[in-house]
Amino acid sequence: MEAIGDDHIGTSAVTPLRADAFEMSNADKLVSIQKDVAHIMETLGLDMTDDSLKGTPKRVAKMFVNEIFSGLHPDNKPNVSVFDNNYKYGEMLVEKNITVYSTCEHHLLPIVGRAHVAYISNGTVVGLSKMNRIVDYYAKRPQVQERLTMQIVQELQRAMGTEDVACVIDAKHLCVNSRGIRDIESSTVTSEFGGKFKEEATRREFLDYIKLDTDF
């Protein structure tokens, strides 16, 4: 096994970015990545004059910068507005089955699954779609699933001013499913429980809502 290889444990909840990560404009990144992708394809022996291949480097560059890695840029971070809990709703709120499309940072292959997010209001609430947007923002970067789970929880805790936030992600990693061991059935489950969700009864209520029987 390589030094990192198939080790999916992240070193922290912070995405490892260089200090100068955003000094280059997106336009310049597109040009640079396009050249690099073309070089990789040429190295593999592909005929880059073929009609089906010659546009691939540009398409990949645009996909990297504007789509699947757009969550790296802080300008794309969703504005999470919170509102007073006028209904005085004091129970758990669960947003389940949020689609996760991310990319494994070890092999740059897809991670596909579902996120289940919950919080208990301490006086404020957040729009439901904002929870989906937070998941999507942090998923759109090279990731490990553990870090993604932690980032979702920490962002909601900051936005709402409460520790009572939880997230469970169940996802398939194509670096496991399509290469290496090539186990197409396995999936990975990660969790992060904050505040009241560390208590067994509250945690179990959340897991019952999402119908996940895994023992955490």
Side-chain angles (χ1 to χ4, degrees):
M1 185 180 294
E2 300 167 0
I4 295 179
D6 295 315
D7 183 358
H8 288 242
I9 298 176
T11 55
S12 77
V14 180
T15 300
L17 286 168
R18 298 195 323 270
D20 63 348
F22 308 112
E23 290 182 4
M24 181 183 292
S25 69
N26 280 355
D28 289 339
K29 287 181 180 181
L30 288 171
V31 172
S32 179
I33 293 171
Q34 184 174 337
K35 292 177 181 177
D36 292 336
V37 173
H39 177 66
I40 291 171
M41 296 178 71
E42 289 166 354
T43 302
L44 290 171
L46 294 169
D47 179 4
M48 298 306 293
T49 65
D50 184 88
D51 285 343
S52 181
L53 296 178
K54 62 185 180 182
T56 298
K58 183 175 182 179
R59 287 190 291 267
V60 172
K62 290 173 66 177
M63 176 183 69
F64 278 8
V65 174
N66 299 330
E67 297 178 59
I68 67 172
F69 298 143
S70 61
L72 289 170
H73 205 297
D75 286 352
N76 295 323
K77 186 175 180 179
N79 181 25
V80 182
S81 301
V82 295
F83 309 93
D84 291 337
N85 183 10
N86 293 326
Y87 296 109
K88 307 301 180 184
Y89 180 75
E91 300 299 321
M92 186 184 307
L93 185 145
V94 181
E95 181 84 356
K96 56 191 281 188
N97 294 322
I98 300 171
T99 301
V100 171
Y101 284 115
S102 192
T103 305
C104 168
E105 67 182 36
H106 299 146
H107 295 95
L108 297 185
L109 286 172
I111 300 171
V112 182
R114 301 286 183 180
H116 313 283
V117 183
Y119 71 86
I120 300 171
S121 174
N122 70 342
T124 59
V125 295
V126 64
L128 295 179
S129 67
K130 298 301 184 182
M131 299 168 73
N132 300 63
R133 293 184 187 279
I134 288 171
V135 171
D136 189 56
Y137 172 69
Y138 285 104
K140 284 184 174 176
R141 56 181 68 182
Q143 274 289 16
V144 291
Q145 189 172 320
E146 296 90 338
R147 182 195 298 136
L148 173 59
T149 311
M150 295 167 66
Q151 287 175 333
I152 292 166
V153 169
Q154 291 174 6
E155 182 61 30
L156 276 169
Q157 287 174 331
R158 284 192 293 267
M160 303 187 67
T162 179
E163 293 295 308
D164 301 334
V165 179
C167 177
V168 170
I169 297 177
D170 184 357
K172 287 183 174 291
H173 293 242
L174 265 69
C175 58
V176 174
N177 301 148
S178 69
R179 57 158 297 282
I181 192 64
R182 288 181 291 183
D183 184 347
I184 63 172
E185 296 298 330
S186 67
S187 66
T188 300
V189 178
T190 51
S191 63
E192 179 74 3
F193 301 114
K196 294 178 181 177
F197 286 93
K198 292 183 180 295
E199 301 171 4
E200 183 177 354
T202 306
R203 183 169 66 248
R204 175 50 53 192
E205 180 184 352
F206 172 46
L207 295 177
D208 285 344
Y209 279 134
I210 66 176
K211 305 299 183 186
L212 202 66
D213 294 327
T214 304
D215 183 7
F216 292 99

